[in-house]
PDB file of all heavy atoms in Angstrom:
ATOM      1  N   VAL A  12      -4.119  -6.210   7.069  1.00  0.00           N
ATOM      2  CA  VAL A  12      -4.509  -5.225   8.074  1.00  0.00           C
ATOM      3  C   VAL A  12      -5.911  -5.568   8.560  1.00  0.00           C
ATOM      4  O   VAL A  12      -6.867  -5.551   7.784  1.00  0.00           O
ATOM      5  CB  VAL A  12      -4.497  -3.796   7.495  1.00  0.00           C
ATOM      6  CG1 VAL A  12      -4.824  -2.777   8.590  1.00  0.00           C
ATOM      7  CG2 VAL A  12      -3.165  -3.490   6.838  1.00  0.00           C
ATOM      8  N   TYR A  13      -6.025  -5.904   9.838  1.00  0.00           N
ATOM      9  CA  TYR A  13      -7.335  -6.153  10.439  1.00  0.00           C
ATOM     10  C   TYR A  13      -7.833  -4.855  11.062  1.00  0.00           C
ATOM     11  O   TYR A  13      -7.092  -4.207  11.825  1.00  0.00           O
ATOM     12  CB  TYR A  13      -7.242  -7.244  11.505  1.00  0.00           C
ATOM     13  CG  TYR A  13      -6.943  -8.612  10.942  1.00  0.00           C
ATOM     14  CD1 TYR A  13      -5.636  -9.090  10.894  1.00  0.00           C
ATOM     15  CD2 TYR A  13      -7.966  -9.419  10.451  1.00  0.00           C
ATOM     16  CE1 TYR A  13      -5.352 -10.352  10.358  1.00  0.00           C
ATOM     17  CE2 TYR A  13      -7.689 -10.678   9.919  1.00  0.00           C
ATOM     18  CZ  TYR A  13      -6.381 -11.134   9.881  1.00  0.00           C
ATOM     19  OH  TYR A  13      -6.106 -12.371   9.353  1.00  0.00           O
ATOM     20  N   GLN A  14      -9.071  -4.478  10.738  1.00  0.00           N
ATOM     21  CA  GLN A  14      -9.574  -3.209  11.246  1.00  0.00           C
ATOM     22  C   GLN A  14     -11.093  -3.211  11.390  1.00  0.00           C
ATOM     23  O   GLN A  14     -11.792  -4.042  10.818  1.00  0.00           O
ATOM     24  CB  GLN A  14      -9.142  -2.056  10.345  1.00  0.00           C
ATOM     25  CG  GLN A  14      -9.650  -2.135   8.935  1.00  0.00           C
ATOM     26  CD  GLN A  14      -9.272  -0.921   8.117  1.00  0.00           C
ATOM     27  OE1 GLN A  14     -10.053  -0.470   7.294  1.00  0.00           O
ATOM     28  NE2 GLN A  14      -8.083  -0.371   8.305  1.00  0.00           N
ATOM     29  N   ASP A  15     -11.554  -2.235  12.163  1.00  0.00           N
ATOM     30  CA  ASP A  15     -12.980  -1.974  12.364  1.00  0.00           C
ATOM     31  C   ASP A  15     -13.209  -0.512  12.014  1.00  0.00           C
ATOM     32  O   ASP A  15     -12.505   0.376  12.513  1.00  0.00           O
ATOM     33  CB  ASP A  15     -13.376  -2.248  13.816  1.00  0.00           C
ATOM     34  CG  ASP A  15     -14.885  -2.157  14.058  1.00  0.00           C
ATOM     35  OD1 ASP A  15     -15.546  -1.337  13.395  1.00  0.00           O
ATOM     36  OD2 ASP A  15     -15.386  -2.884  14.931  1.00  0.00           O
ATOM     37  N   CYS A  18     -13.445   2.239  14.737  1.00  0.00           N
ATOM     38  CA  CYS A  18     -12.322   2.359  15.673  1.00  0.00           C
ATOM     39  C   CYS A  18     -11.450   3.570  15.334  1.00  0.00           C
ATOM     40  O   CYS A  18     -10.917   3.667  14.220  1.00  0.00           O
ATOM     41  CB  CYS A  18     -11.490   1.077  15.624  1.00  0.00           C
ATOM     42  SG  CYS A  18      -9.958   1.167  16.559  1.00  0.00           S
ATOM     43  N   TRP A  20      -8.499   4.268  16.505  1.00  0.00           N
ATOM     44  CA  TRP A  20      -7.108   3.855  16.297  1.00  0.00           C
ATOM     45  C   TRP A  20      -6.891   3.363  14.873  1.00  0.00           C
ATOM     46  O   TRP A  20      -5.839   3.593  14.275  1.00  0.00           O
ATOM     47  CB  TRP A  20      -6.723   2.775  17.299  1.00  0.00           C
ATOM     48  CG  TRP A  20      -6.877   3.184  18.724  1.00  0.00           C
ATOM     49  CD1 TRP A  20      -7.755   2.664  19.634  1.00  0.00           C
ATOM     50  CD2 TRP A  20      -6.133   4.195  19.425  1.00  0.00           C
ATOM     51  NE1 TRP A  20      -7.607   3.292  20.852  1.00  0.00           N
ATOM     52  CE2 TRP A  20      -6.620   4.232  20.755  1.00  0.00           C
ATOM     53  CE3 TRP A  20      -5.120   5.072  19.053  1.00  0.00           C
ATOM     54  CZ2 TRP A  20      -6.121   5.103  21.706  1.00  0.00           C
ATOM     55  CZ3 TRP A  20      -4.610   5.962  19.999  1.00  0.00           C
ATOM     56  CH2 TRP A  20      -5.107   5.966  21.308  1.00  0.00           C
ATOM     57  N   CYS A  21      -7.892   2.674  14.310  1.00  0.00           N
ATOM     58  CA  CYS A  21      -7.783   2.196  12.931  1.00  0.00           C
ATOM     59  C   CYS A  21      -7.757   3.366  11.952  1.00  0.00           C
ATOM     60  O   CYS A  21      -7.038   3.328  10.944  1.00  0.00           O
ATOM     61  CB  CYS A  21      -8.954   1.271  12.603  1.00  0.00           C
ATOM     62  SG  CYS A  21      -8.891  -0.327  13.443  1.00  0.00           S
ATOM     63  N   ALA A  24      -4.302   4.722  12.142  1.00  0.00           N
ATOM     64  CA  ALA A  24      -3.378   3.773  11.505  1.00  0.00           C
ATOM     65  C   ALA A  24      -3.477   3.859   9.991  1.00  0.00           C
ATOM     66  O   ALA A  24      -2.460   3.808   9.281  1.00  0.00           O
ATOM     67  CB  ALA A  24      -3.667   2.355  11.972  1.00  0.00           C
ATOM     68  N   LEU A  28      -0.497   4.328   7.369  1.00  0.00           N
ATOM     69  CA  LEU A  28      -0.233   3.291   6.372  1.00  0.00           C
ATOM     70  C   LEU A  28      -0.378   3.814   4.947  1.00  0.00           C
ATOM     71  O   LEU A  28       0.263   3.299   4.029  1.00  0.00           O
ATOM     72  CB  LEU A  28      -1.158   2.094   6.602  1.00  0.00           C
ATOM     73  CG  LEU A  28      -0.949   1.357   7.925  1.00  0.00           C
ATOM     74  CD1 LEU A  28      -1.986   0.251   8.076  1.00  0.00           C
ATOM     75  CD2 LEU A  28       0.455   0.800   8.042  1.00  0.00           C
ATOM     76  N   GLY A 178      -7.548  -7.705  18.700  1.00  0.00           N
ATOM     77  CA  GLY A 178      -8.013  -6.328  18.643  1.00  0.00           C
ATOM     78  C   GLY A 178      -7.560  -5.679  17.356  1.00  0.00           C
ATOM     79  O   GLY A 178      -6.953  -6.317  16.493  1.00  0.00           O
ATOM     80  N   VAL A 179      -7.870  -4.391  17.215  1.00  0.00           N
ATOM     81  CA  VAL A 179      -7.502  -3.655  16.002  1.00  0.00           C
ATOM     82  C   VAL A 179      -6.956  -2.284  16.385  1.00  0.00           C
ATOM     83  O   VAL A 179      -7.283  -1.773  17.467  1.00  0.00           O
ATOM     84  CB  VAL A 179      -8.718  -3.496  15.056  1.00  0.00           C
ATOM     85  CG1 VAL A 179      -9.108  -4.816  14.451  1.00  0.00           C
ATOM     86  CG2 VAL A 179      -9.903  -2.855  15.769  1.00  0.00           C
ATOM     87  N   PRO A 180      -6.145  -1.701  15.505  1.00  0.00           N
ATOM     88  CA  PRO A 180      -5.616  -2.279  14.270  1.00  0.00           C
ATOM     89  C   PRO A 180      -4.551  -3.332  14.543  1.00  0.00           C
ATOM     90  O   PRO A 180      -3.757  -3.189  15.470  1.00  0.00           O
ATOM     91  CB  PRO A 180      -4.988  -1.070  13.562  1.00  0.00           C
ATOM     92  CG  PRO A 180      -4.577  -0.164  14.685  1.00  0.00           C
ATOM     93  CD  PRO A 180      -5.627  -0.336  15.744  1.00  0.00           C
ATOM     94  N   THR A 181      -4.547  -4.377  13.758  1.00  0.00           N
ATOM     95  CA  THR A 181      -3.507  -5.405  13.809  1.00  0.00           C
ATOM     96  C   THR A 181      -2.967  -5.632  12.405  1.00  0.00           C
ATOM     97  O   THR A 181      -3.741  -5.806  11.465  1.00  0.00           O
ATOM     98  CB  THR A 181      -4.060  -6.725  14.372  1.00  0.00           C
ATOM     99  OG1 THR A 181      -4.401  -6.551  15.752  1.00  0.00           O
ATOM    100  CG2 THR A 181      -3.024  -7.839  14.261  1.00  0.00           C
ATOM    101  N   LEU A 182      -1.641  -5.604  12.288  1.00  0.00           N
ATOM    102  CA  LEU A 182      -0.981  -5.882  11.014  1.00  0.00           C
ATOM    103  C   LEU A 182      -0.256  -7.212  11.114  1.00  0.00           C
ATOM    104  O   LEU A 182       0.428  -7.478  12.104  1.00  0.00           O
ATOM    105  CB  LEU A 182       0.057  -4.809  10.666  1.00  0.00           C
ATOM    106  CG  LEU A 182      -0.404  -3.602   9.843  1.00  0.00           C
ATOM    107  CD1 LEU A 182      -1.399  -2.778  10.637  1.00  0.00           C
ATOM    108  CD2 LEU A 182       0.775  -2.768   9.409  1.00  0.00           C
ATOM    109  N   LEU A 190       1.799  -6.954  14.482  1.00  0.00           N
ATOM    110  CA  LEU A 190       1.847  -5.702  15.234  1.00  0.00           C
ATOM    111  C   LEU A 190       0.437  -5.347  15.683  1.00  0.00           C
ATOM    112  O   LEU A 190      -0.446  -5.137  14.852  1.00  0.00           O
ATOM    113  CB  LEU A 190       2.408  -4.571  14.374  1.00  0.00           C
ATOM    114  CG  LEU A 190       3.825  -4.729  13.826  1.00  0.00           C
ATOM    115  CD1 LEU A 190       4.230  -3.478  13.065  1.00  0.00           C
ATOM    116  CD2 LEU A 190       4.799  -5.007  14.953  1.00  0.00           C
ATOM    117  N   CYS A 191       0.242  -5.283  16.979  1.00  0.00           N
ATOM    118  CA  CYS A 191      -1.083  -5.035  17.544  1.00  0.00           C
ATOM    119  C   CYS A 191      -1.158  -3.607  18.083  1.00  0.00           C
ATOM    120  O   CYS A 191      -0.247  -3.162  18.785  1.00  0.00           O
ATOM    121  CB  CYS A 191      -1.383  -6.019  18.671  1.00  0.00           C
ATOM    122  SG  CYS A 191      -1.125  -7.749  18.204  1.00  0.00           S
ATOM    123  N   GLY A 192      -2.245  -2.915  17.759  1.00  0.00           N
ATOM    124  CA  GLY A 192      -2.414  -1.550  18.235  1.00  0.00           C
ATOM    125  C   GLY A 192      -1.751  -0.540  17.320  1.00  0.00           C
ATOM    126  O   GLY A 192      -0.955  -0.893  16.444  1.00  0.00           O
ATOM    127  N   LEU A 193      -2.082   0.727  17.515  1.00  0.00           N
ATOM    128  CA  LEU A 193      -1.503   1.793  16.703  1.00  0.00           C
ATOM    129  C   LEU A 193      -0.015   1.922  16.978  1.00  0.00           C
ATOM    130  O   LEU A 193       0.416   1.949  18.125  1.00  0.00           O
ATOM    131  CB  LEU A 193      -2.202   3.124  17.025  1.00  0.00           C
ATOM    132  CG  LEU A 193      -1.712   4.342  16.253  1.00  0.00           C
ATOM    133  CD1 LEU A 193      -2.073   4.235  14.775  1.00  0.00           C
ATOM    134  CD2 LEU A 193      -2.295   5.620  16.852  1.00  0.00           C
ATOM    135  N   ARG A 194       0.787   2.018  15.897  1.00  0.00           N
ATOM    136  CA  ARG A 194       2.236   2.181  16.016  1.00  0.00           C
ATOM    137  C   ARG A 194       2.663   3.438  15.273  1.00  0.00           C
ATOM    138  O   ARG A 194       1.959   3.946  14.399  1.00  0.00           O
ATOM    139  CB  ARG A 194       2.963   0.967  15.445  1.00  0.00           C
ATOM    140  CG  ARG A 194       2.563  -0.355  16.069  1.00  0.00           C
ATOM    141  CD  ARG A 194       2.809  -0.375  17.576  1.00  0.00           C
ATOM    142  NE  ARG A 194       2.452  -1.664  18.144  1.00  0.00           N
ATOM    143  CZ  ARG A 194       3.306  -2.674  18.293  1.00  0.00           C
ATOM    144  NH1 ARG A 194       4.559  -2.556  17.883  1.00  0.00           N
ATOM    145  NH2 ARG A 194       2.910  -3.805  18.834  1.00  0.00           N
ATOM    146  N   TYR A 199       6.222   0.939  11.767  1.00  0.00           N
ATOM    147  CA  TYR A 199       5.650   0.190  10.647  1.00  0.00           C
ATOM    148  C   TYR A 199       6.689   0.035   9.534  1.00  0.00           C
ATOM    149  O   TYR A 199       6.876  -1.053   8.978  1.00  0.00           O
ATOM    150  CB  TYR A 199       4.426   0.922  10.092  1.00  0.00           C
ATOM    151  CG  TYR A 199       3.187   0.868  10.954  1.00  0.00           C
ATOM    152  CD1 TYR A 199       2.452   2.027  11.219  1.00  0.00           C
ATOM    153  CD2 TYR A 199       2.719  -0.329  11.481  1.00  0.00           C
ATOM    154  CE1 TYR A 199       1.293   1.987  11.985  1.00  0.00           C
ATOM    155  CE2 TYR A 199       1.566  -0.380  12.252  1.00  0.00           C
ATOM    156  CZ  TYR A 199       0.850   0.787  12.503  1.00  0.00           C
ATOM    157  OH  TYR A 199      -0.281   0.755  13.261  1.00  0.00           O
TER     158      TYR A 199
END
Side-chain angles (χ1 to χ4, degrees):
V12 184
Y13 292 95
Q14 61 176 217
D15 187 327
C18 172
W20 302 114
C21 290
L28 296 176
V179 290
T181 293
L182 269 65
L190 300 183
C191 308
L193 180 68
R194 304 301 182 92
Y199 287 133

